[in-house]
Amino acid sequence: MIILGIDPGTARMGWGAIKIAKSKKQKVKSKDLELLGYGCVVTDKEDGVGKRLVILRRELKKIIVIHQPEVMVVERLFFGMNARTAISVGQATGVILLTANEHKIPIFEYTPGEVKSATAGSGSADKKQVATMLHILIKIEKKIKHDDEYDAIAVGITHLAHHRS
């Protein structure tokens, strides 16, 4: 099974494609996970919102064609963020949901607390703790430039924790 984890955002959309080698009934171990690819779609802040959303959709379609995910997983909008950020994340999430539905890919959403708990063992873990645990759980070969990439990989692993335990 291939899971595509997404950390939504209009300025930066992190993504991570994870392949799981075991069947659903067996317990997944870190050696069963393969990180097929990861990255961050970055849009120009000088572009209008409409253009940025078109870029996100176009790039997400490319990622879907390359990795052929069976499931997409998105970090759910956190309502404690400021209104401007929430609107931007909501717009990006809408594009992600639309694109997943166009490709008939089931989509799941998890809160930041669920992601932190599933990857680092605590819903109050910080980004550094999550990143450290991800390096233990899955082989990350190239340098990660943006936290959004870690967040996307983490949300993909969260889906495993929720559906394979």
Side-chain angles (χ1 to χ4, degrees), residues 1-5 16-36 67-73 137-138 153 155-161 163-165:
M1 175 164 75
I2 297 173
I3 297 172
L4 181 59
I18 303 166
K19 183 177 182 179
I20 300 95
K22 293 284 183 181
S23 72
K24 289 184 178 183
K25 295 187 180 190
Q26 295 174 321
K27 186 172 180 171
V28 177
K29 298 175 184 156
S30 59
K31 68 179 178 72
D32 302 323
L33 301 176
E34 179 185 355
L35 193 53
L36 299 176
H67 295 292
Q68 297 293 306
E70 296 167 57
V71 173
M72 279 179 60
V73 186
L137 294 170
I138 195 164
I153 296 165
V155 76
I157 288 176
T158 298
H159 184 69
L160 276 175
H163 287 276
R164 293 197 169 229
S165 57

Side-chain angles (χ1 to χ4, degrees), residues 101-120:
N101 278 286
E102 287 176 334
H103 290 270
K104 298 181 179 13
I105 302 170
I107 194 151
F108 297 85
E109 295 180 88
Y110 297 99
T111 65
E114 289 173 316
V115 173
K116 292 172 183 179
S117 183
T119 54

Side-chain angles (χ1 to χ4, degrees), residues 5 16 44 51 57 68 95 99 101 106-107 133 141 151 155 161:
D44 189 336
K51 184 175 181 180
R57 183 170 179 254
Q68 297 293 306
V95 167
T99 306
N101 278 286
I107 194 151
M133 284 306 298
E141 293 181 357
D151 292 344
V155 76

Side-chain angles (χ1 to χ4, degrees), residues 61-106:
K61 284 180 159 192
K62 289 179 186 177
I63 294 163
I64 290 169
V65 167
I66 291 168
H67 295 292
Q68 297 293 306
E70 296 167 57
V71 173
M72 279 179 60
V73 186
V74 179
E75 188 170 73
R76 184 177 295 148
L77 180 62
F78 176 61
F79 289 102
M81 62 178 59
N82 71 50
R84 187 174 186 172
T85 302
I87 290 169
S88 175
V89 172
Q91 291 169 326
T93 301
V95 167
I96 294 162
L97 296 174
L98 169 69
T99 306
N101 278 286
E102 287 176 334
H103 290 270
K104 298 181 179 13
I105 302 170

